[in-house]
Amino acid sequence: QPVPVQYAKWLGNVLTGDFGTSLKSGNSVASEILSRLPVTLELAALATVVSLLLAIPAGIIAALTRGRWPDTVLRLVALVGLSVPNFLIATMLVLFVSTQWRVLPTTGFVHVSDGIWANLRSLIMPTVSLGALLAASIMRMMRSSMLEELSKEYLTVARAKGLQQRTIVLGH
């Protein structure tokens, strides 16, 4: 049958929950996806947490040092994080961190039940690769939001009343 007809039949089956059979393993595609879902969710969660832990402080620092060298450096790092594709970051990580420096394993996944440290070591490079784009985006949004908020009138009043900059940033 023509490819569009095959695709329409497959799409109809997908809507009923039948994803077909894997050509590689012969198993149901749905069971293949479900067997890999926990690892995918773990990696996504770890990449999100790492991105937030890096991006929020970086955005705050960039906003507080607007126009000075820390702001410039952080904005440049964010621009690189947005510009470089994830697959290139991953390739460079494998090339340098695993192959040249031999710090982390090149491939493979270690389940949490085999040890938390071994699990984290197997996820560090994919986490950095996936989290770079997200961290860069969040850092830029955080910087913009902080700059907008720091220029508000109520914070000008707080400064006039003698409130310290640290209290203003952390509290407001």
Side-chain angles (χ1 to χ4, degrees):
Q1 293 181 339
V3 173
V5 173
Q6 292 178 40
Y7 180 71
K9 285 184 177 181
W10 175 81
L11 194 57
N13 290 338
V14 165
L15 294 175
T16 62
D18 179 15
F19 290 93
T21 305
S22 169
L23 296 176
K24 184 176 180 182
S25 68
N27 297 332
S28 161
V29 171
S31 67
E32 295 281 337
I33 291 171
L34 287 175
S35 71
R36 289 165 175 81
L37 189 61
V39 176
T40 303
L41 293 176
E42 181 182 359
L43 178 58
L46 196 56
T48 303
V49 167
V50 167
S51 321
L52 290 172
L53 289 175
L54 293 174
I56 291 174
I60 292 171
I61 290 168
L64 293 176
T65 60
R66 182 181 187 180
R68 297 193 301 256
W69 71 267
D71 177 36
T72 305
V73 169
L74 288 170
R75 285 188 301 141
L76 183 65
V77 168
L79 182 63
V80 169
L82 288 169
S83 302
V84 177
N86 289 348
F87 71 86
L88 184 60
I89 294 172
T91 303
M92 292 297 118
L93 283 172
V94 168
L95 180 65
F96 290 109
V97 177
S98 291
T99 309
Q100 295 294 322
W101 303 329
R102 300 181 192 271
V103 177
L104 294 171
T106 306
T107 60
F109 173 74
V110 178
H111 198 272
V112 178
S113 62
D114 296 331
I116 293 175
W117 175 241
N119 174 260
L120 289 176
R121 284 190 70 214
S122 71
L123 288 174
I124 287 174
M125 288 195 302
T127 298
V128 169
S129 176
L130 290 174
L133 177 65
L134 183 60
S137 299
I138 292 171
M139 183 278 216
R140 289 174 56 96
M141 286 187 282
M142 187 68 191
R143 179 185 180 272
S144 298
S145 298
M146 281 291 294
L147 287 173
E148 182 182 337
E149 204 61 32
L150 288 172
S151 66
K152 298 255 174 111
E153 190 174 321
Y154 75 96
L155 292 179
T156 306
V157 171
R159 284 187 200 96
K161 287 184 175 182
L163 214 55
Q164 293 180 353
Q165 181 74 356
R166 178 184 174 135
T167 306
I168 290 171
V169 170
L170 295 177
H172 294 284

